[in-house]
Amino acid sequence: MGVQLIRYKTCCFTGHRSLDGADPGMLGEAICGEVSTLYRFGFDTFLAGGALGFDTLAAREILRMKLSPDFSGLKLVLVLPYLGQESRWAPMDRAMYDYIRERADDVIYTGDVYANGLLLRRNRYMVDHSAHCIAFLDEKRSRGGTLYTVRYARQNGVSVTNIYNRLSNP
């Protein structure tokens, strides 16, 4: 049986595949800080899209936090665009993907095989099932899935915290 997604208790992640030179340790701390705050406000389910970069880092941080008794109620749900998205990745990236997927509380696929638009479908699914979104978005980028997802979230009344702004403007 999968995790029941209760929108007002669910948060999704969206972010760039490239971390743009951000310090992974500082970015991980920022993610943990946001998750900790949201957890205190009743958010217990976190959706990650399973992509390289920010998604992977966020999922790893949730798994790490779940080891603490203070966060034993956290749930990680991977929302993946299609079966085998990792098939062309480097071996180390595939190994991390498998590690995360095996430890996630649930895995949801929004498609079976690759087709145009599946990544955006996955992103809309995550937003449509969330009340908050933690983003890693350089808003100077004029296009891309992360920008699309943040705009979609805002248009649909989902609050957004952009960690990128916090790290680039301390």
Side-chain angles (χ1 to χ4, degrees), residues 34-166:
E34 283 301 313
V35 169
S36 178
T37 298
L38 290 170
Y39 189 72
R40 284 194 309 270
F41 283 102
F43 285 81
D44 62 4
T45 305
F46 292 81
L47 309 179
L52 296 172
F54 184 73
D55 283 4
T56 298
L57 181 61
R60 284 177 36 206
E61 291 301 325
I62 293 293
L63 291 176
R64 189 177 62 73
M65 290 176 75
K66 285 176 54 127
L67 297 174
S68 166
D70 294 338
F71 298 103
S72 60
L74 277 180
K75 293 183 275 304
L76 173 65
V77 176
L78 294 182
V79 181
L80 306 177
Y82 58 93
L83 293 164
Q85 80 163 346
E86 76 287 3
S87 63
R88 296 183 181 190
W89 294 1
M92 185 189 297
D93 293 331
R94 278 198 314 268
M96 180 54 66
Y97 179 83
D98 289 341
Y99 174 87
I100 292 168
R101 191 175 56 201
E102 290 165 6
R103 286 158 181 78
D105 295 286
D106 198 2
V107 178
I108 298 168
Y109 290 93
T110 58
D112 294 324
V113 295
Y114 177 79
N116 283 337
L118 278 185
L119 300 178
L120 296 179
R121 180 194 299 175
R122 178 226 24 227
N123 295 349
R124 286 190 302 270
Y125 180 96
M126 291 193 305
V127 169
D128 291 344
H129 290 84
S130 297
H132 190 74
C133 177
I134 298 174
F136 181 74
L137 170 65
D138 177 355
E139 295 193 49
K140 294 180 192 122
R141 295 183 186 195
S142 60
R143 49 180 281 199
T146 302
L147 178 62
Y148 171 88
T149 304
V150 167
R151 285 182 176 164
Y152 182 78
R154 289 176 176 153
Q155 290 166 354
N156 288 280
V158 174
S159 57
V160 177
T161 299
N162 188 358
I163 291 176
Y164 182 91
N165 291 337
R166 188 169 303 152

